[in-house]
Every structure is written in C-alpha cells, then in structure tokens.
Amino acid sequence: MILKLVPDETNIDFIGKRFLLFLFYVLLINGSIYLVVTKGLNFGIDFTGGTIIEIRVDEAPNISDLRTELNGLELGAISIQEFGEPTDLMIRMPQQDGGPDIQQAAIETVRTSLDAHFGEDAVEYRRTEFVGPQVGEELKKAGGLAILWSLVGILAYIWFRFEWQFDVAAIVALAHDTIATVGFFAFTQMQFDLSTVAAVLLIAGYSINDTVIVFDRIRENMRKYKKKPIDELFNLSVNQTLSRTLMTSFTTLLALVVLYL
C-alpha cells in the first residue's frame, strides 16, 4: 500500500488566499529586517574572534552543570559542545578585551576551573586555538559572499531553465526564506556562526528544489490545459505536488528531530 499524506482529490484554494498571505509575509520580512538592523546578530567566535579549547575527560560530564560553572567565571557566554565520544568536549570562549595577555589569562582561568571540576589528572587538553578579530572579519565577509554567490548561481539556473517570470518568483521565494531565517536568529539571539551560514544555504537549497518541482508542474499543465484560467492552473499544480512537498519536509524534520535529541 502506497503511503499518501495528501489524498488525490485534494483541492486547496492557495491562490484565493494569496492576498492574506502576502500581507503576512510582508510583515514577516519587514519585521526580520527591522530586527537585524536594530538588534543585530549574535555572531559566534567564527566571526567575532575568541578561543576554542578541545578536551577529553575520563567520564561523560553533566553539561548543564559545567556550562553554569564556566559562565559563572564572567568571561562572556561560554558554550560547550559534545563531539565524537561523550567524553570529548569543545569549549568556545569569546574574545576578551585587553589584548593577548588578557586572553591568555582567561584561558588559564578556564583551565583551572576545568581541573577543579574534573580533577587535575582527569582532563586531557587536546587543542587550544585562538581566532583573532581580523580572521573573524574575513570569515564574516566570506560567509556573506558564500550566501550571495550561491543565490546568484541558483537564480541563474532558474533563468536558464524557465522564463524570466519564474525567475522573479524564485527570487521572492528565496529572499523570503533566507531573510526570515536570519530574522529568526536576530529575534532569538541564537549564535550565528559558519554552521549557521551552512544552514541558511541548506534552506535555500531546499526552497529552490521545491520551487523547481512546482514550476515544472506548472509548465506541464500550461501545455496540457491551455484554456484553463491561470489561478485554477496554479492551484492544480500546487495541489498535485503538495504530497511530495510534505513528504520531503516530513523526512527532513525526522532527521532534525534525531539530531536535536
């Protein structure tokens, strides 16, 4: 038996609700731009500079307690990430004001706290890496260019494959998805780093992938139903591809839930 998330006879009037959705998305995009301009993004160490300390401990720690303890050192927002084995930890500390000596003193403070928490012989310091502010600025510029040129390449492909009207629609869809995502990070002040840039590009890829599928079905139906009103043809095309859209999003969501857990 074939799994169907959407029945074959589904006929949702998406185009009939377009003006209400246009209003919602205009507010969403303007709100996102306003948040980015006023609140800004909480750039991570990749962009602002700071120190990464990679350690291995004897037994899996309580991450919540360790995070609370390190953030009590008043060295800024220190993040802890598990990777590889549960006993492998990556600690990210923001850049300290005052030059290299102050930064080194902060590193020693963190090491002293870790030795006291786990025991002096229980911590193996595998890597300590400092990212300077100049490197951070270069990475910020490179990340922005990566997003820009990826979008340009995607739009060039749409222009080549379809007519220019489709390209305009793809530009609007991509702008909506990427700006709304960046606005979400500005609103929540979640850390924005190189991994986030990769996530934005991934969202753009998923967005344009679904856009191409829907556009391709619209083009097929325009040849098949030459006398059908354009709004009915758009609704028909979107409903015909709705099951595929939901299935793709659902399977992606399953993978994200597993990663989150």
Side-chain angles (χ1 to χ4, degrees):
M1 187 178 228
I2 299 176
L3 174 63
K4 288 189 177 180
L5 296 180
V6 180
D8 291 334
E9 63 276 7
T10 300
N11 185 26
I12 302 174
D13 184 17
F14 291 103
I15 304 303
K17 301 177 177 63
R18 64 188 184 278
F19 294 112
L20 180 62
L21 293 173
F22 286 164
L23 176 61
F24 171 75
Y25 289 127
V26 166
L27 294 175
L28 179 64
I29 295 303
N30 288 334
S32 297
I33 295 174
Y34 174 78
L35 288 171
V36 171
V37 172
T38 56
K39 295 185 66 174
L41 296 170
N42 179 22
F43 289 111
I45 290 175
D46 293 336
F47 296 139
T48 61
T51 302
I52 298 174
I53 304 174
E54 184 181 315
I55 65 172
R56 172 171 288 178
V57 294
D58 291 342
E59 57 184 35
N62 185 316
I63 298 297
S64 179
D65 290 345
L66 181 60
R67 183 180 293 111
T68 300
E69 183 175 329
L70 292 181
N71 279 298
L73 299 175
E74 298 183 353
L75 298 174
I78 296 178
S79 64
I80 304 173
Q81 177 184 351
E82 294 177 326
F83 69 99
E85 299 296 326
T87 56
D88 292 338
L89 302 177
M90 182 180 294
I91 301 167
R92 296 172 179 259
M93 179 178 63
Q95 180 183 341
Q96 307 298 307
D97 296 330
D101 293 339
I102 301 298
Q103 190 73 30
Q104 186 60 42
I107 293 173
E108 293 301 324
T109 300
V110 171
R111 294 180 65 137
T112 300
S113 180
L114 291 172
D115 290 339
H117 184 91
F118 294 107
E120 190 170 346
D121 298 329
V123 183
E124 176 188 351
Y125 293 93
R126 311 187 71 187
R127 176 170 68 107
T128 301
E129 183 176 303
F130 174 68
V131 178
Q134 183 176 356
V135 175
E137 285 297 324
E138 291 175 356
L139 290 175
K140 189 187 299 184
K141 181 180 178 181
L145 289 175
I147 295 177
L148 175 63
W149 288 115
S150 296
L151 296 182
V152 169
I154 289 172
L155 297 177
Y157 167 75
I158 296 295
W159 192 298
F160 173 78
R161 180 165 177 178
F162 300 97
E163 290 80 10
W164 68 268
Q165 295 93 334
F166 289 92
D167 198 52
V168 172
I171 291 174
V172 174
L174 276 178
H176 160 263
D177 293 340
T178 53
I179 293 174
T181 302
V182 174
F184 173 79
F185 275 87
F187 175 73
T188 60
Q189 287 297 293
M190 295 172 62
Q191 195 172 86
F192 194 95
D193 52 23
L194 288 178
S195 298
T196 312
V197 172
V200 172
L201 293 176
L202 180 65
I203 290 173
Y206 267 96
S207 172
I208 203 65
N209 179 55
D210 195 60
T211 300
V212 168
I213 296 296
V214 175
F215 282 178
D216 205 43
R217 183 57 60 92
I218 290 174
R219 185 169 58 179
E220 290 178 5
N221 287 335
M222 289 177 70
R223 296 169 180 168
K224 187 176 181 180
Y225 306 103
K226 296 184 178 180
K227 295 184 179 181
K228 184 182 286 290
I230 195 67
D231 55 343
E232 294 182 15
L233 189 141
F234 284 168
N235 271 327
L236 174 65
S237 302
V238 175
N239 280 283
Q240 286 176 339
T241 56
L242 186 59
S243 178
R244 180 259 174 210
T245 298
L246 292 178
M247 185 68 75
T248 302
S249 301
F250 179 69
T251 52
T252 304
L253 183 61
L254 287 179
L256 292 175
V257 169
V258 172
L259 288 173
Y260 177 78
L261 295 175

